[in-house]
Amino acid sequence: MIKEWFDFSGKVVLITGASRGIGESVAGAFCDLGASVVLTSRKQDALDKVACNLQGKSGKACAIACHVGKEEDRKKLVDQVIQQFGKIDVLVNNAATNPVFGPAINTDEGAWDKIFEVNLKGPFFLSKLVAAKMAEKGGGAIVNVASVAGLKPMMGLGVYSISKAGLLMLTRVLAAELGEKGIRVNAVAPGVIKTKFSEAIWKNDFIRKVVEQSSALGRLGEPDDVVGAVVFLAGPAAKYITGQMIVVDGGTGLKGA
Ligand SMILES: NC(=O)c1ccc[n+]([C@@H]2O[C@H](COP(=O)([O-])OP(=O)(O)OC[C@H]3O[C@@H](n4cnc5c(N)ncnc54)[C@H](OP(=O)(O)O)[C@@H]3O)[C@@H](O)[C@H]2O)c1
């Protein structure tokens, strides 16, 4: 039975922010496990390259561009996926942005709106559209990629931290409301993972060493370190788990002074 729980053959998985980093790794894993994976982000070219690299795996991948903050894009995306595949079994809300670094109190309204549009409003309204389709088919699973910054303020990333705290609450609110429709909603909260998004952190020798030294596992994360938790929460192995969060940070802070 345990093998079947990690078999995603016949399942349709929609992943935002799938053109690189964590989203790309997660997409590769679902493809390995037999799913039809829909990759989305703003840039069609980048997505096409990822889809091309995934050819030859057990599942299949297709790429549809969508800015998660834009209502029209979200609607077109879901319509296209339903037209092509007839259903969505799993949604991974992974795309996020952070255009500013520094004290939260200095953030202007434009930057605030951008962060919330992509990191919170997008996942909420995409979940709303997708949940309606999932409910028609008797259920599904939503996995939100939050951050440890949503649990404890991250220096210089204050507004981003607020948005991720919001995403964790969104996870619990939707879990409570959608459970009766057979839809589970969970989150993962990664620590520092070596991607383009976190370059400013891991390319800075001082900050990198501080994080590594405080980490129980003594290293920063790689995108594929996040994959297992997402796949677990998305499938039947987690069939009695909803409204929860898994921290994926290698024990960062456990060795802190
Ligand atoms: N890396 C870390 O240390 C870390 C730690 C904790 C949490 N996280 C979370 O992990 C998730 C993935 O981050 P990552 O590190 O893999 O970042 P990444 O490598 O920079 O990838 C971000 C992805 O999001 C897409 N994206 C950005 N803005 C978008 C928008 N408006 N609409 C649709 N797609 C958009 C990007 O593609 P396009 O440019 O083509 O749109 C890209 O595919 C994010 O939610 C992030 O907050 C990351």
Side-chain angles (χ1 to χ4, degrees):
M1 190 184 337
I2 191 80
K3 266 191 185 168
E4 285 161 28
W5 285 352
F6 290 94
D7 180 2
F8 284 80
S9 305
K11 301 291 178 192
V12 179
V13 179
L14 172 58
I15 306 171
T16 70
S19 62
R20 58 174 189 263
I22 294 169
E24 181 180 3
S25 283
V26 168
F30 279 115
C31 230
D32 274 334
L33 295 168
S36 293
V37 180
V38 182
L39 314 161
T40 184
S41 81
R42 287 165 303 177
K43 296 172 194 133
Q44 188 70 47
D45 286 0
L47 290 169
D48 287 340
K49 274 188 201 143
V50 175
C52 194
N53 290 339
L54 295 180
Q55 274 178 15
K57 292 185 181 269
S58 330
K60 51 185 175 192
C62 81
I64 303 172
C66 161
H67 184 310
V68 287
K70 297 195 171 150
E71 184 182 11
E72 206 187 306
D73 279 23
R74 291 189 299 265
K75 281 188 176 152
K76 268 194 208 156
L77 169 69
V78 174
D79 285 350
Q80 250 179 282
V81 180
I82 294 299
Q83 214 171 22
Q84 205 167 328
F85 297 99
K87 61 171 185 168
I88 300 170
D89 298 292
V90 175
L91 167 65
V92 182
N93 281 312
N94 168 72
T97 193
N98 182 60
V100 287
F101 191 81
I105 205 71
N106 293 342
T107 306
D108 62 40
E109 281 196 37
W112 172 281
D113 286 346
K114 185 155 188 53
I115 292 169
F116 273 79
E117 176 185 78
V118 179
N119 299 7
L120 197 53
K121 181 178 157 189
F124 175 76
F125 284 101
L126 186 58
S127 298
K128 181 177 171 182
L129 289 174
V130 171
K133 302 297 175 191
M134 287 175 169
E136 284 171 16
K137 300 281 178 190
I142 298 173
V143 182
N144 295 320
V145 180
S147 169
V148 291
L151 300 170
K152 185 178 167 206
M154 203 171 256
M155 288 298 286
L157 295 170
V159 178
Y160 169 81
S161 299
I162 299 168
S163 74
K164 291 296 186 178
L167 188 60
L168 289 170
M169 182 52 78
L170 180 153
T171 301
R172 293 193 285 269
V173 168
L174 292 189
E177 293 186 6
L178 298 176
E180 64 186 14
K181 297 181 191 307
I183 301 168
R184 295 181 301 101
V185 189
N186 289 290
V188 297
V192 180
I193 309 294
K194 284 166 84 176
T195 66
K196 184 165 187 275
F197 187 86
S198 55
E199 260 176 3
I201 299 176
W202 57 268
K203 283 196 172 165
N204 177 313
D205 281 347
F206 175 74
I207 304 178
R208 198 191 66 246
K209 278 183 191 147
V210 169
V211 178
E212 282 171 352
Q213 282 165 7
S214 82
S215 155
L217 298 183
R219 65 173 177 86
L220 301 186
E222 300 290 340
D224 81 340
D225 287 321
V226 185
V227 164
V230 175
V231 168
F232 165 67
L233 290 171
K239 58 190 160 69
Y240 197 51
I241 300 175
T242 195
Q244 300 302 310
M245 172 205 59
I246 299 179
V247 172
V248 185
D249 72 347
T252 301
L254 292 180
K255 286 169 73 184

